[in-house]
Amino acid sequence: MSLYKQLLIGICLFAIVVFCGNFYVALESSREQYHNQLGAHAQDTATALGVSLTANIDDPTMTDLLVSSIFDSGYFYRIRVVSLKTQKVLTERHGKPQDAGLPGWFVRMVNLNPGKGEAIVMRGWTQYARVEVVSHPMFALQRLWESMVNSFFWFAGCSLLCVIGVTVFLRRRLLPLNYIVKQATAISHREFLSLPTLPKTPELRRVVEATNMMVMQLKALFSEQAQRTETLRQEAYHDSLTGLNNRRAFDIHLQARLSDEDKSTGHLLLVRVQDLMGLNQRMGGGKTDELLKAVAGMLGETQKRFFPTDGFLARIRGGEFALVGQEILPQEMENLVSQLGTQLKALYETGISDVSPVAHLAQVTFQSGDASQAVLRQADQSLAEAETRMRFFANPVVAQVTDVDGDRHSWFARLTAVLDAESFELFSQPVFECNNQRVVLHHKILARIKTAEGEILPASRFMPWIHRLALGQRMDQVMLKQTLREMDRTDGVLSLSICGESVADDESLEALLLPLKQTPTLAARLTLELDENELPDAERMSEVIRRLKMVGCRLGIQHFGGQFHLIGNLPQWGLAWIKVDGSYVRNIDTEEDKRLFIEAIYWATRQIDLPLIAERVETAGELAILERIGLYGAMGRYFADASTLRG
């Protein structure tokens, strides 16, 4: 056979293959498009009909008339209105449009499903009925058939003349489409990418520009939603004058802190500006506001110095501020009181206040399980004593720590022994699907220490010393090794908390990643979690996630809610999940503001398909609200307490 015939046959076969492939791709694309259009058509009809029926739902005649007029105006298979209370059909129209004479094989091949839409009809403030609309695909099938026939004749005529040239041209010119595919894949992974260099071909340039515009609009939409939710949180939980947390946020945090068994002991400091009302009358509102801002700034510096990881500062009313933090040593408390006293004295000396002392301070120690009202009452009594005796601090003699285990040297010896022997007791707590408590999403690993007497110490007993002695990074490495050893004997999916020190720089991150690189199959079943308060900057966070993905591991955020502005970075990070702090979950079934806040977080994360998990769920009522909102998962004592992780 001559080369000419071979080329001719090859070109013909290639043209046939290209046509068949083009026919299949175009058919699939058109089918999806028409399916979406049918769905949109049905949904728009249902929405419009639902709005129209809202004012006439009590009039059966008008209801039938509206349904009939809509049904007769388009291609619909069925329209009906169903009572939500009785599930009874109030009115219904159904039928089949006239057959367009399409081939049966084509209809079966396309297999275009009808579009469906629903809408709710309101009676006043009550959901009364549901409108169900099903569009018939006959019109779309007819248009699709005409499109396919026209495409066949057009392509058959042009392919004989242009197949070689088009092949070469497409090979060289359609390279930007590969990046468009990459953009689409990135969107599915909750990332937004733009093609910086536009192709020279005008058609491709427009496609790339449109794709870039779509990506930017998606990113802007997400950022806008995040900004609205952050504004909601600011209005609900922040003081507008000082920028601190308000009384509502303080109550939520204190209740959650006292109910958290992993955090046993802590301090509550109350600071009350003296004679605030008199200052306002003598010096004016502007000066008084300036004083309150100055006090808030001093307390913020105090929080960063003495409670950098676990401090919570709020203005709870008028001139009263509250600072909650973890347990610190008596000498550190003395330094704290001395620093505040010096700073407040400076306010008097500079004339910002005309009374001395400028404020009174009271400090109380609390433990897990204490009642919040009792802790606040004790602090108020101490403040009253300080005000009566005109002292700055109600109890300048700080009580000594009676627990012998609290000694720095004994704790250092105990913790280094555990770290050297890699002998943490591993416990786990299951995380379930919200709407199906039989499905375990993963198990959260928790650390415990076993004493020589056989007592199991919870994290609340030793984690403050881990941070105080700067052993967090070493603990993460030991916990990771122990967890990987346990995973080698089990098949479950696990998550493990790490501290910010372990990812703060490349050297620390490399030390953390080394065990994961050695066990890539186990790394794929492990997700590391960072506390919201310990996240690095956005650029560093992106690098950490990139490095973790290289070894097959993922990263999640736990205790989320206090820094909602971070949600603007979530699309580019590609996190495994976000776990909402338990303080926003506690009593969510009775506190409306918490429900609204969780809903705002849910809708913001849903736009990028980011799973949202609730922490510390304790009651069936809380779980019911979370299920209604649509959260992905939940964990807490309602499901199960922490138990020993057994291989």
Side-chain angles (χ1 to χ4, degrees):
M1 185 181 295
S2 65
L3 178 61
Y4 172 79
K5 291 182 179 180
Q6 293 182 27
L7 289 176
L8 182 60
I9 294 174
I11 292 174
C12 292
L13 292 176
F14 180 78
I16 293 174
V17 171
V18 170
F19 171 75
C20 293
N22 180 75
F23 180 86
Y24 175 80
V25 171
L27 178 62
E28 290 294 320
S29 175
S30 300
R31 177 168 54 188
E32 182 66 19
Q33 179 182 1
Y34 280 118
H35 177 74
N36 293 337
Q37 290 179 351
L38 287 172
H41 175 249
Q43 185 59 53
D44 291 343
T45 303
T47 302
L49 185 55
V51 173
S52 301
L53 289 177
T54 297
N56 303 282
I57 192 60
D58 293 324
D59 187 348
T61 302
M62 183 59 69
T63 300
D64 290 337
L65 181 61
L66 289 173
V67 170
S68 298
S69 63
I70 293 294
F71 184 86
D72 295 336
S73 65
Y75 288 82
F76 298 102
Y77 180 78
R78 182 179 67 246
I79 298 178
R80 68 178 180 179
V81 181
V82 182
S83 172
L84 291 177
K85 183 176 181 181
T86 64
Q87 298 301 315
K88 179 181 178 182
V89 177
L90 302 179
T91 182
E92 181 178 11
R93 286 292 306 276
H94 61 85
K96 183 178 180 181
Q98 185 177 0
D99 191 358
L102 300 179
W105 62 267
F106 179 78
V107 175
R108 290 191 298 272
M109 181 180 64
V110 175
N111 191 25
L112 188 60
N113 296 323
K116 298 180 180 179
E118 292 184 358
I120 299 299
V121 179
M122 305 295 294
R123 176 191 278 175
W125 296 99
T126 305
Q127 294 182 354
Y128 179 77
R130 180 177 67 251
V131 177
E132 299 177 355
V133 177
V134 180
S135 296
H136 199 284
M138 183 59 66
F139 175 78
L141 288 171
Q142 184 177 358
R143 293 293 301 274
L144 188 58
W145 169 253
E146 294 174 356
S147 176
M148 291 298 101
V149 170
N150 293 335
S151 297
F152 172 80
F153 287 108
W154 174 258
F155 190 87
C158 295
S159 60
L160 296 176
L161 301 175
C162 304
V163 62
I164 297 178
V166 168
T167 301
V168 175
F169 177 80
L170 292 179
R171 186 185 299 273
R172 299 178 59 183
R173 296 294 183 179
L174 298 184
L175 291 178
L177 293 181
N178 294 329
Y179 194 87
I180 294 178
V181 174
K182 185 178 180 180
Q183 283 181 310
T185 305
I187 291 175
S188 67
H189 291 120
R190 303 183 290 278
E191 300 176 7
F192 299 117
L193 303 178
S194 296
L195 181 61
T197 304
L198 297 178
K200 297 180 180 180
T201 306
E203 292 79 7
L204 291 179
R205 177 185 291 269
R206 289 196 297 269
V207 171
V208 173
E209 287 176 346
T211 306
N212 287 344
M213 184 180 300
M214 178 194 67
V215 170
M216 295 305 296
Q217 288 178 346
L218 287 174
K219 186 175 182 180
L221 180 63
F222 178 81
S223 300
E224 181 182 353
Q225 177 67 26
Q227 182 61 40
R228 285 199 299 266
T229 309
E230 172 64 11
T231 301
L232 173 64
R233 192 185 72 86
Q234 290 284 345
E235 293 176 352
Y237 299 116
H238 271 69
D239 176 59
S240 58
L241 176 62
T242 61
L244 303 179
N245 299 291
N246 60 12
R247 178 57 184 262
R248 179 66 182 138
F250 168 75
D251 289 338
I252 293 174
H253 178 82
L254 184 60
Q255 290 177 2
R257 183 69 165 76
L258 294 174
S259 63
D260 190 351
E261 295 181 352
D262 288 336
K263 298 179 180 178
S264 58
T265 306
H267 295 291
L268 169 62
L269 285 82
L270 284 187
V271 177
R272 184 180 296 159
V273 176
Q274 184 182 179
D275 192 21
L276 183 65
M277 185 176 298
L279 286 171
N280 195 43
Q281 293 176 350
R282 294 190 303 272
M283 304 182 66
K287 285 286 187 180
T288 304
D289 291 346
E290 183 180 348
L291 172 62
L292 293 176
K293 292 178 182 178
V295 173
M298 293 177 182
L299 292 174
E301 295 176 0
T302 301
Q303 174 194 346
K304 293 178 182 178
R305 177 179 175 184
F306 294 95
F307 309 106
T309 61
D310 196 31
F312 185 87
L313 178 60
R315 180 191 178 200
I316 55 179
R317 59 173 172 262
E320 191 167 314
F321 300 82
L323 177 59
V324 181
Q326 75 275 14
E327 182 183 11
I328 60 176
L329 297 176
Q331 183 60 45
E332 293 175 320
M333 181 58 70
E334 292 178 3
N335 293 338
L336 184 155
V337 173
S338 176
Q339 174 182 302
L340 275 181
T342 301
Q343 291 177 332
L344 291 172
K345 184 178 179 181
L347 293 181
Y348 172 75
E349 293 174 349
T350 55
I352 296 180
S353 175
D354 60 358
V355 294
S356 181
V358 174
H360 299 282
L361 171 66
Q363 176 268 330
V364 295
T365 302
F366 58 80
Q367 294 183 346
S368 176
D370 290 345
S372 60
Q373 293 300 323
V375 175
L376 288 172
R377 190 181 307 111
Q378 182 182 357
D380 282 332
Q381 291 173 353
S382 299
L383 265 183
E385 178 185 351
E387 291 174 338
T388 301
R389 300 186 180 186
M390 291 302 293
R391 294 178 178 176
F392 163 62
F393 189 39
N395 183 15
V397 180
V398 181
Q400 296 297 316
V401 178
T402 57
D403 183 8
V404 295
D405 289 340
D407 179 75
R408 179 185 293 269
H409 298 289
S410 63
W411 269 111
F412 181 78
R414 172 183 290 177
L415 292 173
T416 52
V418 173
L419 292 170
D420 291 340
E422 298 182 356
S423 58
F424 284 103
E425 296 290 325
L426 299 188
F427 280 60
S428 68
Q429 190 171 27
V431 179
F432 294 89
E433 276 193 11
C434 252
N435 295 302
N436 188 356
Q437 283 78 59
R438 292 176 295 181
V439 178
V440 177
L441 300 176
H442 64 274
H443 284 81
K444 175 66 178 290
I445 300 300
L446 305 173
R448 301 287 187 263
I449 289 180
K450 189 174 184 179
T451 65
E453 296 77 17
E455 180 187 2
I456 300 296
L457 299 182
S460 60
R461 292 284 300 277
F462 61 84
M463 283 307 298
W465 286 102
I466 288 286
H467 294 299
R468 191 173 292 142
L469 298 172
L471 298 175
Q473 182 178 345
R474 188 178 174 191
M475 177 182 173
D476 288 345
Q477 296 173 8
V478 172
M479 283 291 297
L480 180 58
K481 292 179 181 178
Q482 288 190 237
T483 301
L484 291 174
R485 285 199 294 267
E486 291 294 335
M487 293 178 67
D488 197 29
R489 297 192 289 268
T490 60
D491 298 326
V493 179
L494 304 180
S495 67
L496 176 67
S497 298
I498 59 174
C499 67
E501 300 172 2
S502 297
V503 298
D505 53 69
D506 291 340
E507 183 179 354
S508 302
L509 180 59
E510 186 61 30
L512 183 70
L513 295 179
L514 183 59
L516 297 173
K517 292 180 179 179
Q518 297 171 348
T519 55
T521 57
L522 300 181
R525 294 193 284 119
L526 179 66
T527 300
L528 302 181
E529 293 183 344
L530 272 173
D531 192 281
E532 175 194 63
N533 296 321
E534 298 190 29
L535 296 179
D537 60 75
E539 183 177 352
R540 180 62 187 172
M541 187 72 171
S542 300
E543 175 65 15
V544 170
I545 294 174
R546 186 187 68 81
R547 298 277 294 276
L548 284 173
K549 288 182 178 179
M550 290 176 61
V551 299
C553 189
R554 303 186 69 188
L555 184 70
I557 297 179
Q558 63 179 358
H559 310 326
F560 183 80
Q563 301 184 42
F564 195 81
H565 62 278
L566 295 174
I567 205 166
N569 295 315
L570 298 184
Q572 65 190 29
W573 287 346
L575 296 169
W577 57 64
I578 284 181
K579 291 183 176 178
V580 182
D581 189 77
S583 61
Y584 296 99
V585 177
R586 182 179 175 85
N587 298 327
I588 191 175
D589 52 332
T590 59
E591 300 179 11
E592 183 70 11
D593 59 322
K594 292 183 179 179
R595 183 186 64 80
L596 292 174
F597 182 59
I598 296 295
E599 283 183 343
I601 298 178
Y602 168 73
W603 285 109
T605 54
R606 182 185 178 185
Q607 295 184 30
I608 55 173
D609 194 27
L610 178 60
L612 198 62
I613 299 173
E615 298 177 335
R616 294 170 57 196
V617 178
E618 298 185 356
T619 66
E622 294 171 353
L623 179 61
I625 296 298
L626 297 173
E627 290 177 345
R628 189 182 310 167
I629 294 174
L631 265 68
Y632 176 62
M635 60 184 295
R637 296 173 61 184
Y638 174 77
F639 304 100
D641 289 324
S643 59
T644 305
L645 181 65
R646 301 184 184 275

